[in-house]
Amino acid sequence: MSQPRIALVTARAARDLDEDLPPLVDALTRAGAAVSVLDWDDDAADWATHDVAVLRSTWDYTQRLAEFLAWVDRAAAQTTLLNPPDLVRWNVDKHYLGELANQGIATVPGTFVEPGDDAAAALTGFLATYASAGTFEFVVKPCVGAGSRDAQRHGAEQSDAALAHLQRLLDADRSALLQPYLARVDEHGETALLWFNGEFSHAIRKGPLLRRNEDATRALFAPEHITARAPSPAEMALALETLARIPAADALLYARVDLIHDDDGSPRLLELELSEPSLFFGHAEGSADRFAAAILARVQAVRTTRPAVPAAAR
């Protein structure tokens, strides 16, 4: 078999921020692959000369969604894009959380607010539904967003600031999601569980990202405090149940399931990351090699159904 040719897809602004790229390039190179790290919007990139293109750190897509999704379709017409376009489109908008909740997945509850909705009425209705006596905190976030960008934590007594935040999102033609802030995250943090080709690889603990009275970040992502973590049986069970509800889940090269705990200590799905998640290789020995092996297995599968790239085109 000729040398596997793999494109790892990033963004110009993320190249020096993606800590997963160097160990992954090293693991793939040691495994005999030819690796290119390419910006998704690089007009000179020839995607057809690669067996697969793996979405890794396209972290500016939230600010250029229509352009990014158009590129997704173009790239997928030239090579095998991983994860596949239909799953990427489904996952980049947090409305998927509503779909999963309707299927019985224990998600962080919330209310979707759409452009054109009455922001004040939506916020009042949300608070009436979820606010309890005493201190109540909640999160306002865009439905298309990553790395906590444009997400902010508010107290019920800060409804004016929360309303202004919500209105800014709606005025920018962005759908929003209002969620109760589950305070156990301050102590327990988030648990992120990683799967490669349907096999569990590792998990990490992520410290709380949204602090009270802190402005929403305008950077590509908020700073994170990461440590290794062994998931609990309840966390593993919810993650597996979530993965089982993903449409065409067998097409996934990778998946990250982010969980937090409610006041009763039960895990709830915060986010499902299928398009450009950090994979935290530095916190799990051998994880970069496992991911490289998963990519190469996909290359082998692709080559059984598609002719190899002609040598003249390489």
Side-chain angles (χ1 to χ4, degrees):
M1 185 173 77
S2 60
Q3 186 179 34
R5 294 183 58 83
I6 296 162
L8 301 179
V9 189
T10 185
R12 191 171 297 105
R15 277 180 174 258
D16 295 333
L17 301 175
D18 184 356
E19 297 178 355
D20 292 334
L21 274 178
L24 181 55
V25 170
D26 178 65
L28 286 167
T29 302
R30 284 188 284 103
V35 184
S36 301
V37 178
L38 298 172
D39 301 331
W40 68 267
D41 58 354
D42 181 354
D43 292 336
D46 187 353
W47 305 105
T49 61
H50 298 87
D51 293 294
V52 297
V54 181
L55 290 170
R56 289 308 318 122
S57 43
T58 55
W59 294 336
D60 61 354
Y61 80 89
T62 62
Q63 304 155 61
R64 306 164 62 187
L65 183 62
E67 184 182 354
F68 175 71
L69 291 177
W71 169 82
V72 163
D73 290 339
R74 291 196 304 274
Q78 300 175 59
T79 188
T80 296
L81 189 68
L82 299 170
N83 282 323
D86 287 349
L87 285 167
V88 172
R89 285 181 174 276
W90 180 76
N91 184 239
V92 295
D93 188 318
K94 290 181 177 60
H95 282 89
Y96 72 82
L97 289 169
E99 296 180 29
L100 292 173
N102 289 336
Q103 296 179 55
I105 296 299
T107 64
V108 176
T111 297
F112 291 100
V113 189
E114 310 300 337
D117 287 352
D118 184 324
L123 181 58
T124 298
F126 167 78
L127 292 174
T129 300
Y130 293 105
S132 56
T135 301
F136 176 75
E137 295 183 302
F138 61 101
V139 175
V140 179
K141 62 175 67 169
C143 285
V144 177
S148 297
R149 181 182 173 89
D150 294 325
Q152 194 169 357
R153 173 180 170 184
H154 301 276
E157 75 283 2
Q158 299 171 308
S159 58
D160 288 347
L163 178 59
H165 181 188
L166 176 60
Q167 191 67 62
R168 283 195 301 273
L169 294 175
L170 301 184
D171 288 346
D173 201 31
R174 303 176 74 184
S175 298
L177 176 58
L178 310 179
Q179 294 176 309
Y181 184 80
L182 301 187
R184 284 182 68 99
V185 72
D186 291 336
E187 174 187 352
H188 188 265
E190 299 178 23
T191 302
L193 299 90
L194 285 301
W195 267 262
F196 303 151
N197 269 356
E199 298 291 330
F200 176 69
S201 172
H202 60 286
I204 57 94
R205 177 192 185 275
K206 186 187 300 185
L209 292 176
L210 299 179
R211 302 189 183 280
R212 185 76 179 272
N213 299 320
E214 190 171 74
D215 290 340
T217 183
R218 302 296 299 168
L220 281 181
F221 57 86
E224 299 176 331
H225 178 66
I226 308 298
T227 56
R229 166 174 277 175
S232 70
E235 289 172 332
M236 182 65 78
L238 177 56
L240 288 169
E241 185 182 3
T242 300
L243 293 173
R245 298 293 193 277
I246 299 173
D250 57 351
L252 288 171
L253 169 64
Y254 55 83
R256 197 183 90 196
V257 185
D258 292 352
L259 308 176
I260 60 176
H261 288 196
D262 61 21
D263 291 342
D264 296 328
S266 300
R268 287 182 174 267
L269 177 67
L270 178 64
E271 290 194 358
L272 176 63
E273 300 276 9
L274 308 181
S275 53
E276 38 61 53
S278 293
L279 301 176
F280 307 114
F281 296 137
H283 299 275
E285 185 177 356
S287 57
D289 290 314
R290 289 193 291 274
F291 191 55
I295 294 172
L296 292 172
R298 288 302 182 99
V299 170
Q300 186 173 10
V302 164
R303 287 185 170 186
T304 64
T305 58
R306 189 180 72 196
V309 177
R314 295 176 189 162

